[in-house]
Amino acid sequence: PEQRAAAHDAYLAFVEKNPQHPDAAQALYNAAFASFELKEYERAEAEAKRFLDTHANHALTADVREIAAEHGIDQRREAIVFA
């Protein structure tokens, strides 16, 4: 988890410094996916929304929508498990 969190931060730093770079969309996707894996669902959702707002026509758009959809499912599952 520590390495994943560090990778997440590096991806976002890259996007912030290079928003027009050809790899910015991939980096933002990676950040959203890392947030999801870290069970930081609100952050994953925000990053997925940011991706969709800025890269709506990118090849990864369908994957990002899936991450956003899974966010809702997994968050409800966690609420049930820990209730």
Side-chain angles (χ1 to χ4, degrees), residues 40-67:
E40 295 188 14
Y41 300 120
E42 287 182 24
R43 185 169 73 174
E45 183 178 34
E47 290 161 353
K49 182 181 180 330
R50 180 177 175 187
F51 181 98
L52 295 172
D53 289 346
T54 57
H55 305 287
N57 297 318
H58 193 276
L60 290 170
T61 298
D63 291 342
V64 171
R65 287 179 193 211
E66 185 175 325
I67 289 171

Side-chain angles (χ1 to χ4, degrees), residues 16-33:
E16 295 301 325
K17 291 180 183 178
N18 308 286
Q20 301 303 317
H21 192 281
D23 292 332
Q26 179 71 52
L28 188 52
Y29 169 86
N30 291 350
F33 192 78

